[in-house]
Amino acid sequence: MKLLTHNMLTSHVKGVINGYPLLIKATEVKVNEVEFNPQFVSRMIPKLEWSALIQAAEGLGHLQDLPGTPIENYENDAEFLRKVHRVLLEVEVIEGSLQCPESGREFPISKGVPNMLLNEDES
Amino acid sequence: MEGAVENMRREKRSKKDLKVLKRERKTQHTLLKHAGITTTQQPTQYLVVSNGGLGNGVSREVLLEVLKEGGAVESLLMPPNKPYSYVTYASVEDAQNAHRLLNGRTLNGQDQEVTLYLSYVHQVCGEVIEVAPPLPPGLSVVEDFVSPEEEAELLEAVDWTSHPEELTVQKELKHRRVKHYGYEFRYDNNNVDKDKPLPGGLPPQCGAVLQRCLSEGHVDFLPDQLTVNQYQRGQGIPPHVDTHSPFEDTILSLSLGAKTVMDFRHPDGRAVAVVLPGRSLLVMKGESRYLWTHGITPRKFDVVPASEDEGSGVVTSDLSNLTLSRRGTRTSFTFRKIRHSPCDCAYPSVCDSQRPPSPPSLPVANSDACRLETQYVHNVYEEISAHFSSTRHSPWPRVRDFLLSLQPGDTLADIGCGNGKYLGINPQVLSVGCDRSASLVGICAERGFQAFVSDGLNVPLRSSSFDACISIAVIHHFSTQERRLAAVRELVRLLKVGGRALIYVWAKEQEFNKQKSKYLKPNQNQRNLDQGSRSETMETMQGDEEHQPENCVSRSEERQTRLSVHTNRTAFASQDLLVPWHLKGGAKAEATPTQARVFHRYYHVFQQGELEELCRSVSGVTVLESYHDQGNWCVVLKKTQKDF
């Protein structure tokens, strides 16, 4: 699970109001090399919940001095975009779990795949 | 000077006493409120010991030892599953002594630390000792059936690591670990594939044990199927009857590594808990094999008889003779013999040979719908995922067009993404997929796509965060109108205002505009049975190579609601059906083509206009396009308003 995906995921446990963002508990994290496409990264930034990204990156130890809000004129800052690229697309949680911040319910991540299935009584 | 120190000491002591007193009052209140136990301040011979019960992990032995410190214990009653016990002392003085000494005492146990609180009660009830219930008919437990050396040898014979060329079939089930030898027992239909014996047979280490079973007269045949179950502490198996049709009478189960308690239940409600010591052989015959269910409760401690506590026996309700047994890792070797004729037991009401499972009906209630979809959609895709994925390689042109029409930087959610066929079509777009089938999602991950496992009716993605959604060949698997509508609503919820969704569902009308869909047209490359090399023309909704007329008997419906089995490559006779899938290839198949396993998938095929109407009934939505494409009804919708 990449952090870009994590940014979109939210808890859907019945009755939960503040299920975003999910807390990441990682036991295995990989950093892959992914082709850097600055335009793509640039276009992703406005679609993200930036604070959730920062929180997640920090939790995994991959914050690498990214700021609390995107810098001004980031579209033209290759260095900044590279850092964002790394955190969004290259850092991957392989094993661990995602935890609903309100209910505490944990969803396992195995081989990079989160299993978000709920039991009958939770949905 | 001394006086002051003395005062301080007294103060300190009384502070501690106050704390204990406070907790004791709280405990007494809890006892009254939750257990209906009235305590009294007036000393009696009888005390209730809170936090000293079988229900909170305190064994009889440990508690007795502590209570004896107070004085002469006349009786100790420990109700199973309760966090308290009743102790009767020989005299009121002994009870008072115990109260003074032990109230607030902490016990440091193996797993936990507990603080005991003692309170006086007027009387102790529950001294009724019932006669121990008999074992279910046909059941016996033979203790010390194997020696410790044999036990070790058998445990070592099981290799839990998996290899691709593994002879035996090993599955990681949700709870316990399972491994099969001889024949694979399948948990999706609770039956055995009798035509596909597993190569290798039973481990040679079992030979001596099996001979012993024969010579001691427990069975008059040599079993040819073995299921090894390994239960970690806290794991169990739900109550069940071993399916009648695949196995003969007399089932043998060897318990290795640890003891456990197995619960047996008769249909009339009678329940018997049987202790299975380590190295014992459980023999289930007749009524106990065919009628009573057996199961192991997932828990960390069992309540067992206190006397002769290493032995087997039935767990009674004699509160003066119960204690706890800590679970360990237990491995069971269950030996069975495969039947090759239908079961003819004396219990037809629970026999799958004598009462074949009735064909499913179209569900009305949501819970029935879930169950139908689990059996006839989810379980099937899990089984056929590899084969299915191999037949889903070519993206449909108009779906591709939709994806390529998205703007660079757009976000796309593929709900029901299957093997990820569409996730990589437009690399300029952020694509996230989800599917109900973990196997199929695994294939997406292998291909480097971002996907997760989820249900289409409750997608864990933020609302209004996607520029586009696609749902290709998904919604026709929902078995009620409400669920199909809910699926469309989920897609709309995910869309931003202005975002578009593309939905494809299988059409009842396979012929449209005088053009037959590829599904109906006979395939040019039918001879090519090789899984890998399929041509474009094979790419249809169904993916079968051949018309198989016999297995798919199209039954005429006796009752309105029965689901009929569809005959592949023919027109759909009704809207709700079971469509066969003939499984080909896969690791477990032989090299030469044999009779393929047939799976039935539930479909609701849509009539002309039905999908459009379904989409229009969602508020805040406009239908942009509505068309027929290769045997599918298709809709492009746009979200025009925010959600309410």
Side-chain angles (χ1 to χ4, degrees):
Chain A
M1 180 200 71
K2 299 187 181 179
L3 293 188
L4 184 47
T5 308
H6 167 260
N7 205 264
M8 309 273 139
L9 285 169
T10 181
S11 168
H12 53 327
V13 175
K14 185 162 71 174
V16 163
I17 301 167
N18 295 315
Y20 181 87
L22 291 159
L23 304 164
I24 305 178
K25 295 173 153 191
T27 54
E28 191 189 324
V29 179
K30 252 181 25 188
V31 180
N32 311 301
E33 223 185 276
V34 175
E35 199 185 310
F36 176 46
N37 184 336
Q39 285 102 356
F40 182 79
V41 179
S42 185
R43 289 188 179 114
M44 283 299 113
I45 291 174
K47 316 251 169 173
L48 302 169
E49 280 292 325
W50 187 261
S51 53
L53 176 69
I54 295 301
Q55 193 184 329
E58 192 165 29
L60 296 179
H62 283 281
L63 186 56
Q64 31 154 32
D65 80 354
L66 278 172
T69 52
I71 61 169
E72 272 200 35
N73 199 25
Y74 59 78
E75 300 91 343
N76 301 312
D77 191 332
E79 198 192 311
F80 176 78
L81 290 176
R82 246 226 177 268
K83 284 190 198 153
V84 178
H85 165 82
R86 186 172 193 272
V87 136
L88 273 183
L89 299 169
E90 294 190 325
V91 174
E92 209 176 334
V93 178
I94 305 297
E95 300 287 327
S97 66
L98 293 170
Q99 185 174 44
C100 170
E102 193 178 300
S103 70
R105 195 343 180 150
E106 284 195 31
F107 299 96
I109 303 175
S110 172
K111 297 187 184 145
V113 172
N115 187 327
M116 309 297 295
L117 281 178
L118 293 168
N119 301 324
E120 249 184 78
D121 50 331
E122 292 173 295
S123 50
Chain B
M1 187 66 147
E2 258 184 9
V5 171
E6 198 48 51
N7 280 334
M8 261 171 62
R9 279 216 197 100
R10 210 177 294 138
E11 209 179 282
K12 274 203 184 126
R13 207 186 321 136
S14 62
K15 258 200 192 133
K16 180 181 174 244
D17 286 339
L18 269 174
K19 214 176 180 184
V20 171
L21 204 64
K22 187 173 168 190
R23 289 233 183 90
E24 189 191 334
R25 289 242 169 84
K26 193 173 175 197
T27 311
Q28 285 166 352
H29 177 75
T30 308
L31 279 173
L32 179 61
K33 190 169 170 201
H34 296 288
I37 299 171
T38 318
T39 56
T40 172
Q41 295 304 317
Q42 180 74 19
T44 68
Q45 290 170 267
Y46 315 104
L47 292 156
V48 60
V49 185
S50 306
N51 296 338
L54 295 176
N56 70 306
V58 177
S59 73
R60 189 180 181 82
E61 295 76 31
V62 165
L63 189 61
L64 252 181
E65 206 184 299
V66 168
L67 291 174
K68 279 180 180 160
E69 286 180 41
V73 172
E74 229 173 58
S75 89
L76 173 62
L77 297 182
M78 301 189 77
N81 311 315
K82 298 286 183 199
Y84 55 79
S85 307
Y86 298 101
V87 58
T88 304
Y89 281 95
S91 67
V92 179
E93 288 74 37
D94 281 356
Q96 283 174 296
N97 198 39
H99 189 282
R100 187 178 50 244
L101 264 177
L102 305 174
N103 195 28
R105 167 75 68 92
T106 44
L107 291 179
N108 288 305
Q110 196 170 11
D111 300 289
Q112 53 174 343
E113 187 188 271
V114 295
T115 306
L116 303 175
Y117 294 103
L118 278 67
S119 311
Y120 297 106
V121 287
H122 284 295
Q123 62 187 49
V124 164
C125 36
E127 292 242 33
V128 178
I129 297 170
E130 290 164 20
V131 177
L135 289 172
L139 194 90
S140 52
V141 180
V142 187
E143 293 183 51
D144 293 305
F145 194 73
V146 292
S147 67
E149 292 77 29
E150 287 173 321
E151 176 184 48
E153 204 194 327
L154 287 165
L155 286 172
E156 251 182 61
V158 181
D159 177 16
W160 292 104
T161 60
S162 30
H163 303 280
E165 63 273 29
E166 185 73 310
L167 296 176
T168 56
V169 179
Q170 177 183 323
K171 301 269 171 70
E172 286 273 347
L173 296 180
K174 219 170 160 194
H175 304 289
R176 63 198 193 282
R177 280 209 288 200
V178 180
K179 196 154 173 171
H180 301 283
Y181 297 81
Y183 292 82
E184 185 191 357
F185 183 79
R186 297 178 43 187
Y187 294 92
D188 59 343
N189 62 357
N190 282 330
N191 216 311
V192 160
D193 207 332
K194 299 180 192 182
D195 303 317
K196 292 232 165 78
L198 300 168
L202 270 52
Q205 293 89 338
C206 298
V209 170
L210 292 174
Q211 283 304 319
R212 195 174 304 156
C213 293
L214 254 180
S215 61
E216 289 188 15
H218 300 299
V219 280
D220 54 13
F221 51 71
L222 261 186
D224 55 9
Q225 197 271 340
L226 166 65
T227 296
V228 181
N229 280 285
Q230 189 174 77
Y231 304 83
Q232 299 298 325
R233 210 178 151 238
Q235 293 179 335
I237 183 169
H240 62 283
V241 176
D242 282 17
T243 316
H244 293 201
S245 63
F247 305 117
E248 299 275 6
D249 195 2
T250 309
I251 291 177
L252 305 162
S253 193
L254 197 54
S255 294
L256 304 174
K259 90 202 284 190
T260 194
V261 169
M262 185 171 274
D263 300 310
F264 287 83
R265 199 172 280 272
H266 187 279
D268 67 12
R270 277 178 286 153
V272 182
V274 181
V275 179
L276 303 181
R279 296 184 292 107
S280 70
L281 180 75
L282 172 67
V283 182
M284 285 196 294
K285 228 178 129 76
E287 209 182 291
S288 65
R289 177 260 181 277
Y290 285 116
L291 188 63
W292 292 65
T293 63
H294 57 272
I296 296 176
T297 309
R299 57 191 175 205
K300 305 213 167 150
F301 286 95
D302 288 309
V303 174
V304 296
S307 53
E308 33 152 38
D309 76 297
E310 290 309 316
S312 64
V314 169
V315 183
T316 69
S317 48
D318 179 359
L319 305 186
S320 67
N321 188 26
L322 294 177
T323 186
L324 292 178
S325 169
R326 195 171 189 275
R327 286 263 183 102
T329 301
R330 172 179 171 269
T331 307
S332 68
F333 276 55
T334 301
F335 296 100
R336 299 180 277 208
K337 178 148 172 69
I338 301 292
R339 283 194 76 96
H340 296 284
S341 58
C343 179
D344 56 1
C345 65
Y347 312 94
S349 62
V350 287
C351 180
D352 65 311
S353 287
Q354 297 175 65
R355 248 190 61 165
S358 41
S361 324
L362 188 62
V364 173
N366 199 55
S367 51
D368 294 331
C370 284
R371 233 166 298 154
L372 179 83
E373 289 162 25
T374 299
Q375 189 177 355
Y376 291 99
V377 179
H378 308 314
N379 290 349
V380 175
Y381 278 109
E382 280 295 282
E383 280 286 332
I384 70 176
S385 58
H387 181 209
F388 178 79
S389 175
S390 71
T391 64
R392 298 300 187 262
H393 47 80
S394 306
W396 284 339
R398 289 186 78 169
V399 179
R400 180 205 265 124
D401 291 344
F402 177 87
L403 294 170
L404 294 175
S405 76
L406 300 176
Q407 298 304 308
D410 271 358
T411 49
L412 168 80
D414 184 346
I415 309 300
C417 61
N419 66 348
K421 188 163 92 168
Y422 294 110
L423 294 175
I425 300 283
N426 188 341
Q428 301 275 31
V429 155
L430 162 67
S431 305
V432 172
C434 69
D435 200 275
R436 182 62 175 70
S437 161
S439 312
L440 287 173
V441 174
I443 294 174
C444 293
E446 279 168 34
R447 295 180 173 177
F449 298 132
Q450 288 289 285
F452 55 91
V453 183
S454 140
D455 198 276
L457 299 185
N458 196 350
V459 181
L461 291 169
R462 292 190 283 135
S463 302
S464 304
S465 51
F466 287 88
D467 298 293
C469 291
I470 59 172
S471 165
I472 310 300
V474 179
I475 296 183
H476 51 213
H477 282 312
F478 289 108
S479 54
T480 67
Q481 174 79 340
E482 293 77 31
R483 289 167 75 76
R484 293 188 282 272
L485 182 60
V488 176
R489 286 217 168 98
E490 264 301 86
L491 294 173
V492 175
R493 176 184 72 79
L494 297 174
L495 286 176
K496 295 182 185 162
V497 173
R500 293 177 297 144
L502 174 65
I503 305 176
Y504 265 57
V505 293
W506 218 359
K508 180 162 188 289
E509 304 85 344
Q510 285 297 305
E511 206 173 311
F512 194 68
N513 283 340
K514 302 214 171 81
Q515 269 252 307
K516 284 202 163 115
S517 72
K518 282 180 190 160
Y519 176 68
L520 291 179
K521 275 193 265 200
N523 287 295
Q524 284 90 320
N525 286 4
Q526 277 192 35
R527 240 149 283 130
N528 199 341
L529 297 176
D530 190 34
Q531 199 178 309
S533 51
R534 283 163 189 262
S535 76
E536 283 298 308
T537 55
M538 302 297 248
E539 178 52 25
T540 68
M541 291 288 293
Q542 178 55 19
D544 279 324
E545 311 97 324
E546 319 175 339
H547 177 68
Q548 304 249 355
E550 30 58 69
N551 326 19
C552 340
V553 175
S554 247
R555 252 175 273 158
S556 66
E557 296 169 302
E558 307 123 42
R559 277 169 27 203
Q560 201 101 50
T561 49
R562 282 273 189 254
L563 293 175
S564 52
V565 177
H566 170 66
T567 306
N568 283 326
R569 305 224 170 283
T570 64
F572 292 119
S574 61
Q575 281 193 270
D576 295 282
L577 336 116
L578 297 173
V579 180
W581 176 280
H582 299 268
L583 183 63
K584 296 276 159 68
K588 299 175 219 160
E590 300 292 332
T592 56
T594 54
Q595 171 98 37
R597 278 150 71 175
V598 181
F599 295 87
H600 290 133
R601 283 175 306 167
Y602 167 79
Y603 280 88
H604 169 88
V605 293
F606 281 66
Q607 290 189 102
Q608 182 166 15
E610 190 185 335
L611 179 62
E612 205 179 317
E613 204 186 303
L614 192 70
C615 293
R616 285 190 203 282
S617 67
V618 178
S619 38
V621 150
T622 304
V623 170
L624 294 179
E625 282 178 70
S626 175
Y627 57 92
H628 189 274
D629 182 16
Q630 279 310 310
N632 300 292
W633 287 116
C634 321
V635 158
V636 179
L637 61 81
K638 183 175 182 171
K639 180 167 176 175
T640 53
Q641 272 175 269
K642 252 181 105 65
D643 303 307
F644 306 110

